[in-house]
Amino acid sequence: MSKAVFIRNAAQLVTLKGSSDIPRVRAEMSELGMIENGSIWIEDRTIQAVGTDVELAAKYKPRLAEAEVIDASGKLVTPGLVDPHTHLVFAGSRENEFNMRLQGATYMEIMNAGGGIHATTRATKAAAREELFHQSYQRLNQFLRHGVTTVEAKSGYGMDWETELKQLEVAKQLNEQHVIDVVPTFMGAHAIPEDYKRRPDEFVKLLVEEMIPKVAELGLAEFNDVFCEKGVFTPEQSRVILEAGKRHGLIPKIHADEIEPYEGAELAAEVGAISADHLLKASEQGMKAMAEKGVVGVLLPGTAYFLMAESANGRKMIDLGVPVALSTDCNPGSSPTVSLPFIMNLGCLKMGMTPAEVITAATINAAHAINRGHEIGSLEVGKKADVTIFNVENYMKLQYLYGVNHTDTVVKNGQVVVRGGHLVAEFSLS
Ligand code: NIG
Ligand code: FE
């Protein structure tokens, strides 16, 4: 049994208590469940008590000496951040494309010329499994240093069975060996492979009849995602792929309306997706359909920033009742960052969200976007003890002092894994 951890006397303790069943919408997104001078008692990997320091000090008085005490005075304590959309497992790097885009080439032009997703696919195919694991492990360490304790990870840089399998197996191994929880998504439908360019429906058939059933049978993914975009998968093909996943127990997710309006938000509502992601060009009708069905809108303003596009309209989505979450979209082409706090800042400055709303979006609503609302995303008795302590005294300052990593301490699954902004040695393997 691990030692008890007692986080004491936070200037602000953001609990987000009371929304484990369904994600927060509208004004609920601003209700942080804040406790001033707040404390948490952690034991057995679980949150045992949350309250004011006075209350908890009295309750645990006889046991104070046995706990590891973390002084959070003057600091902000939040649930461990949750990143619900990443392409974590990849090899290579695409700074050359960044440079081309700065000189006028577009993301889709680069991809259609065989670069973009295809370039990372070639690098990922060529990488030895150990190398892929090592690079992704380092990326997870960086996530942890930015206060992130759970990460969704998509395949999709294989598109042939062998490489998709390699990516999903690496994701599984990362989940087992790294302290961060890695939640796997199959995204074989990330692009049309170059040898299927003239017969895309055959690739859809391969996904539906062979890959999806195998992924499900091996238990290697919980979700099934598709890049529904002009020039990639049509809404009809996307529907076929997502419905096939459903028949095999994979929950639908969708990259929707990212570059062109394509009724992806509407499709997400129709197929009962758990989330629709990107949504830069989503229609009002699509947003309303999502609100009605409770589809989480996972917004990725870092991608819009990096592709020099206008961000999704987060404000409008929240006002229409869409439960909004935020994510890095960490990938080598459109958003090579692990800084969820920076994404939160973009949520404020580029999408009209408030500092309170972006915290909800990167914690409890993000947890709901990956079907983990009951386990993580809020600081409540019985939940997994995933806690981030930021070196700022209030939640507004976390967004105001932007571009700086304020992460001070991270407790993951009841263990201190970041201290004073640094990984605790035993978690910084290799
Ligand atoms: O979410 N839009 C499609 N997929 C990723 C980008 C992947 C890449 O460029 O490597 C995204 O933006
Ligand atoms: Fe993505």
mmCIF file of all heavy atoms in Angstrom, residues 93-120:
data_model
loop_
_atom_site.group_PDB
_atom_site.id
_atom_site.type_symbol
_atom_site.label_atom_id
_atom_site.label_comp_id
_atom_site.label_asym_id
_atom_site.label_seq_id
_atom_site.Cartn_x
_atom_site.Cartn_y
_atom_site.Cartn_z
ATOM 1 N N SER A 93 9.418 13.987 -37.838
ATOM 2 C CA SER A 93 9.182 15.389 -37.506
ATOM 3 C C SER A 93 8.982 16.137 -38.819
ATOM 4 O O SER A 93 9.541 15.737 -39.845
ATOM 5 C CB SER A 93 10.425 15.877 -36.761
ATOM 6 O OG SER A 93 10.366 17.243 -36.549
ATOM 7 N N ARG A 94 8.164 17.192 -38.823
ATOM 8 C CA ARG A 94 7.813 17.819 -40.113
ATOM 9 C C ARG A 94 8.048 19.320 -40.129
ATOM 10 O O ARG A 94 7.239 20.080 -40.640
ATOM 11 C CB ARG A 94 6.360 17.471 -40.455
ATOM 12 C CG ARG A 94 6.222 15.998 -40.665
ATOM 13 C CD ARG A 94 4.940 15.435 -41.229
ATOM 14 N NE ARG A 94 3.774 16.189 -41.392
ATOM 15 C CZ ARG A 94 2.562 15.814 -40.956
ATOM 16 N NH1 ARG A 94 2.384 14.690 -40.287
ATOM 17 N NH2 ARG A 94 1.517 16.565 -41.196
ATOM 18 N N GLU A 95 9.181 19.747 -39.559
ATOM 19 C CA GLU A 95 9.453 21.186 -39.558
ATOM 20 C C GLU A 95 9.654 21.734 -40.966
ATOM 21 O O GLU A 95 9.425 22.911 -41.221
ATOM 22 C CB GLU A 95 10.638 21.536 -38.633
ATOM 23 C CG GLU A 95 11.979 20.951 -39.024
ATOM 24 C CD GLU A 95 12.164 19.516 -38.520
ATOM 25 O OE1 GLU A 95 11.188 18.883 -38.095
ATOM 26 O OE2 GLU A 95 13.315 19.030 -38.570
ATOM 27 N N ASN A 96 10.038 20.851 -41.921
ATOM 28 C CA ASN A 96 10.167 21.307 -43.316
ATOM 29 C C ASN A 96 8.802 21.764 -43.853
ATOM 30 O O ASN A 96 8.708 22.763 -44.561
ATOM 31 C CB ASN A 96 10.767 20.181 -44.182
ATOM 32 C CG ASN A 96 9.939 18.906 -44.123
ATOM 33 O OD1 ASN A 96 9.284 18.633 -43.105
ATOM 34 N ND2 ASN A 96 9.923 18.133 -45.183
ATOM 35 N N GLU A 97 7.740 21.055 -43.480
ATOM 36 C CA GLU A 97 6.394 21.445 -43.941
ATOM 37 C C GLU A 97 5.946 22.741 -43.265
ATOM 38 O O GLU A 97 5.252 23.563 -43.871
ATOM 39 C CB GLU A 97 5.386 20.335 -43.645
ATOM 40 C CG GLU A 97 5.663 19.077 -44.438
ATOM 41 C CD GLU A 97 4.639 17.986 -44.158
ATOM 42 O OE1 GLU A 97 3.645 18.234 -43.443
ATOM 43 O OE2 GLU A 97 4.851 16.866 -44.645
ATOM 44 N N PHE A 98 6.338 22.906 -42.035
ATOM 45 C CA PHE A 98 6.049 24.151 -41.311
ATOM 46 C C PHE A 98 6.637 25.315 -42.103
ATOM 47 O O PHE A 98 5.964 26.314 -42.391
ATOM 48 C CB PHE A 98 6.676 24.036 -39.910
ATOM 49 C CG PHE A 98 6.651 25.275 -39.073
ATOM 50 C CD1 PHE A 98 5.465 25.900 -38.733
ATOM 51 C CD2 PHE A 98 7.848 25.812 -38.576
ATOM 52 C CE1 PHE A 98 5.454 27.043 -37.937
ATOM 53 C CE2 PHE A 98 7.852 26.947 -37.785
ATOM 54 C CZ PHE A 98 6.653 27.566 -37.460
ATOM 55 N N ASN A 99 7.867 25.132 -42.528
ATOM 56 C CA ASN A 99 8.553 26.164 -43.299
ATOM 57 C C ASN A 99 7.851 26.396 -44.649
ATOM 58 O O ASN A 99 7.676 27.534 -45.084
ATOM 59 C CB ASN A 99 10.020 25.741 -43.490
ATOM 60 C CG ASN A 99 10.881 26.872 -43.973
ATOM 61 O OD1 ASN A 99 10.671 28.024 -43.581
ATOM 62 N ND2 ASN A 99 11.830 26.582 -44.839
ATOM 63 N N MET A 100 7.392 25.310 -45.285
ATOM 64 C CA MET A 100 6.675 25.447 -46.570
ATOM 65 C C MET A 100 5.356 26.195 -46.372
ATOM 66 O O MET A 100 4.989 27.049 -47.188
ATOM 67 C CB MET A 100 6.364 24.056 -47.152
ATOM 68 C CG MET A 100 7.552 23.369 -47.811
ATOM 69 S SD MET A 100 7.296 21.576 -47.940
ATOM 70 C CE MET A 100 6.114 21.490 -49.261
ATOM 71 N N ARG A 101 4.676 25.887 -45.298
ATOM 72 C CA ARG A 101 3.394 26.563 -45.035
ATOM 73 C C ARG A 101 3.615 28.053 -44.769
ATOM 74 O O ARG A 101 2.811 28.891 -45.169
ATOM 75 C CB ARG A 101 2.649 25.893 -43.873
ATOM 76 C CG ARG A 101 2.071 24.544 -44.247
ATOM 77 C CD ARG A 101 1.064 24.006 -43.257
ATOM 78 N NE ARG A 101 1.601 23.793 -41.923
ATOM 79 C CZ ARG A 101 1.458 24.618 -40.896
ATOM 80 N NH1 ARG A 101 0.746 25.718 -41.026
ATOM 81 N NH2 ARG A 101 2.010 24.343 -39.730
ATOM 82 N N LEU A 102 4.717 28.372 -44.112
ATOM 83 C CA LEU A 102 4.998 29.786 -43.842
ATOM 84 C C LEU A 102 5.243 30.549 -45.149
ATOM 85 O O LEU A 102 5.097 31.756 -45.203
ATOM 86 C CB LEU A 102 6.212 29.922 -42.914
ATOM 87 C CG LEU A 102 5.970 29.469 -41.479
ATOM 88 C CD1 LEU A 102 7.263 29.478 -40.687
ATOM 89 C CD2 LEU A 102 4.931 30.342 -40.785
ATOM 90 N N GLN A 103 5.590 29.765 -46.194
ATOM 91 C CA GLN A 103 5.813 30.418 -47.486
ATOM 92 C C GLN A 103 4.625 30.261 -48.430
ATOM 93 O O GLN A 103 4.740 30.493 -49.624
ATOM 94 C CB GLN A 103 7.095 29.864 -48.111
ATOM 95 C CG GLN A 103 8.313 30.325 -47.304
ATOM 96 C CD GLN A 103 9.579 29.628 -47.715
ATOM 97 O OE1 GLN A 103 9.976 29.738 -48.866
ATOM 98 N NE2 GLN A 103 10.174 28.902 -46.795
ATOM 99 N N GLY A 104 3.485 29.820 -47.893
ATOM 100 C CA GLY A 104 2.259 29.850 -48.692
ATOM 101 C C GLY A 104 1.644 28.515 -49.047
ATOM 102 O O GLY A 104 0.502 28.471 -49.491
ATOM 103 N N ALA A 105 2.367 27.398 -48.898
ATOM 104 C CA ALA A 105 1.743 26.103 -49.215
ATOM 105 C C ALA A 105 0.664 25.806 -48.176
ATOM 106 O O ALA A 105 0.795 26.204 -47.015
ATOM 107 C CB ALA A 105 2.806 25.013 -49.205
ATOM 108 N N THR A 106 -0.414 25.112 -48.602
ATOM 109 C CA THR A 106 -1.444 24.789 -47.603
ATOM 110 C C THR A 106 -1.250 23.352 -47.098
ATOM 111 O O THR A 106 -0.605 22.523 -47.762
ATOM 112 C CB THR A 106 -2.873 24.922 -48.180
ATOM 113 O OG1 THR A 106 -3.074 23.861 -49.127
ATOM 114 C CG2 THR A 106 -3.096 26.274 -48.827
ATOM 115 N N TYR A 107 -1.866 23.092 -45.950
ATOM 116 C CA TYR A 107 -1.788 21.774 -45.311
ATOM 117 C C TYR A 107 -2.266 20.678 -46.279
ATOM 118 O O TYR A 107 -1.604 19.652 -46.446
ATOM 119 C CB TYR A 107 -2.642 21.803 -44.038
ATOM 120 C CG TYR A 107 -2.715 20.509 -43.289
ATOM 121 C CD1 TYR A 107 -1.687 20.100 -42.452
ATOM 122 C CD2 TYR A 107 -3.825 19.682 -43.415
ATOM 123 C CE1 TYR A 107 -1.755 18.892 -41.762
ATOM 124 C CE2 TYR A 107 -3.913 18.483 -42.731
ATOM 125 C CZ TYR A 107 -2.867 18.092 -41.903
ATOM 126 O OH TYR A 107 -2.959 16.902 -41.226
ATOM 127 N N MET A 108 -3.412 20.927 -46.939
ATOM 128 C CA MET A 108 -3.971 19.910 -47.837
ATOM 129 C C MET A 108 -3.120 19.747 -49.098
ATOM 130 O O MET A 108 -2.988 18.633 -49.608
ATOM 131 C CB MET A 108 -5.431 20.240 -48.198
ATOM 132 C CG MET A 108 -6.412 19.995 -47.075
ATOM 133 S SD MET A 108 -6.269 18.374 -46.287
ATOM 134 C CE MET A 108 -7.546 17.466 -47.088
ATOM 135 N N GLU A 109 -2.546 20.828 -49.598
ATOM 136 C CA GLU A 109 -1.663 20.714 -50.780
ATOM 137 C C GLU A 109 -0.473 19.801 -50.451
ATOM 138 O O GLU A 109 -0.097 18.932 -51.235
ATOM 139 C CB GLU A 109 -1.105 22.086 -51.180
ATOM 140 C CG GLU A 109 -2.034 22.928 -52.024
ATOM 141 C CD GLU A 109 -1.585 24.392 -52.113
ATOM 142 O OE1 GLU A 109 -0.452 24.743 -51.672
ATOM 143 O OE2 GLU A 109 -2.390 25.190 -52.606
ATOM 144 N N ILE A 110 0.097 20.033 -49.293
ATOM 145 C CA ILE A 110 1.266 19.232 -48.885
ATOM 146 C C ILE A 110 0.873 17.761 -48.763
ATOM 147 O O ILE A 110 1.565 16.858 -49.233
ATOM 148 C CB ILE A 110 1.852 19.775 -47.558
ATOM 149 C CG1 ILE A 110 2.428 21.183 -47.791
ATOM 150 C CG2 ILE A 110 2.904 18.834 -46.989
ATOM 151 C CD1 ILE A 110 2.822 21.923 -46.528
ATOM 152 N N MET A 111 -0.288 17.527 -48.170
ATOM 153 C CA MET A 111 -0.761 16.143 -47.995
ATOM 154 C C MET A 111 -1.046 15.498 -49.357
ATOM 155 O O MET A 111 -0.649 14.355 -49.613
ATOM 156 C CB MET A 111 -2.018 16.150 -47.129
ATOM 157 C CG MET A 111 -2.708 14.813 -47.013
ATOM 158 S SD MET A 111 -3.856 14.837 -45.643
ATOM 159 C CE MET A 111 -4.873 13.428 -46.025
ATOM 160 N N ASN A 112 -1.700 16.241 -50.249
ATOM 161 C CA ASN A 112 -2.045 15.669 -51.557
ATOM 162 C C ASN A 112 -0.819 15.414 -52.417
ATOM 163 O O ASN A 112 -0.855 14.601 -53.338
ATOM 164 C CB ASN A 112 -3.048 16.571 -52.292
ATOM 165 C CG ASN A 112 -4.411 16.523 -51.604
ATOM 166 O OD1 ASN A 112 -4.744 15.531 -50.952
ATOM 167 N ND2 ASN A 112 -5.185 17.597 -51.700
ATOM 168 N N ALA A 113 0.275 16.100 -52.096
ATOM 169 C CA ALA A 113 1.523 15.860 -52.833
ATOM 170 C C ALA A 113 2.346 14.737 -52.185
ATOM 171 O O ALA A 113 3.526 14.556 -52.497
ATOM 172 C CB ALA A 113 2.323 17.146 -52.914
ATOM 173 N N GLY A 114 1.739 14.025 -51.261
ATOM 174 C CA GLY A 114 2.425 12.870 -50.672
ATOM 175 C C GLY A 114 3.149 13.177 -49.365
ATOM 176 O O GLY A 114 3.784 12.305 -48.773
ATOM 177 N N GLY A 115 3.045 14.422 -48.895
ATOM 178 C CA GLY A 115 3.641 14.767 -47.595
ATOM 179 C C GLY A 115 2.577 14.668 -46.515
ATOM 180 O O GLY A 115 1.680 13.837 -46.588
ATOM 181 N N GLY A 116 2.673 15.509 -45.509
ATOM 182 C CA GLY A 116 1.657 15.537 -44.447
ATOM 183 C C GLY A 116 1.530 14.194 -43.750
ATOM 184 O O GLY A 116 2.528 13.551 -43.396
ATOM 185 N N ILE A 117 0.300 13.754 -43.583
ATOM 186 C CA ILE A 117 0.037 12.483 -42.894
ATOM 187 C C ILE A 117 0.819 11.342 -43.565
ATOM 188 O O ILE A 117 1.339 10.453 -42.893
ATOM 189 C CB ILE A 117 -1.484 12.180 -42.877
ATOM 190 C CG1 ILE A 117 -2.208 13.221 -41.989
ATOM 191 C CG2 ILE A 117 -1.770 10.770 -42.381
ATOM 192 C CD1 ILE A 117 -3.725 13.127 -42.018
ATOM 193 N N HIS A 118 0.945 11.406 -44.914
ATOM 194 C CA HIS A 118 1.681 10.343 -45.618
ATOM 195 C C HIS A 118 3.158 10.315 -45.206
ATOM 196 O O HIS A 118 3.760 9.251 -45.090
ATOM 197 C CB HIS A 118 1.561 10.523 -47.131
ATOM 198 C CG HIS A 118 0.143 10.487 -47.615
ATOM 199 N ND1 HIS A 118 -0.664 9.388 -47.480
ATOM 200 C CD2 HIS A 118 -0.621 11.444 -48.206
ATOM 201 C CE1 HIS A 118 -1.864 9.642 -47.971
ATOM 202 N NE2 HIS A 118 -1.869 10.895 -48.411
ATOM 203 N N ALA A 119 3.732 11.494 -44.990
ATOM 204 C CA ALA A 119 5.147 11.555 -44.598
ATOM 205 C C ALA A 119 5.336 10.901 -43.219
ATOM 206 O O ALA A 119 6.260 10.097 -43.017
ATOM 207 C CB ALA A 119 5.624 13.009 -44.565
ATOM 208 N N THR A 120 4.447 11.224 -42.293
ATOM 209 C CA THR A 120 4.565 10.617 -40.958
ATOM 210 C C THR A 120 4.273 9.119 -41.023
ATOM 211 O O THR A 120 4.853 8.326 -40.280
ATOM 212 C CB THR A 120 3.631 11.328 -39.957
ATOM 213 O OG1 THR A 120 4.021 12.697 -39.904
ATOM 214 C CG2 THR A 120 3.727 10.728 -38.565
#
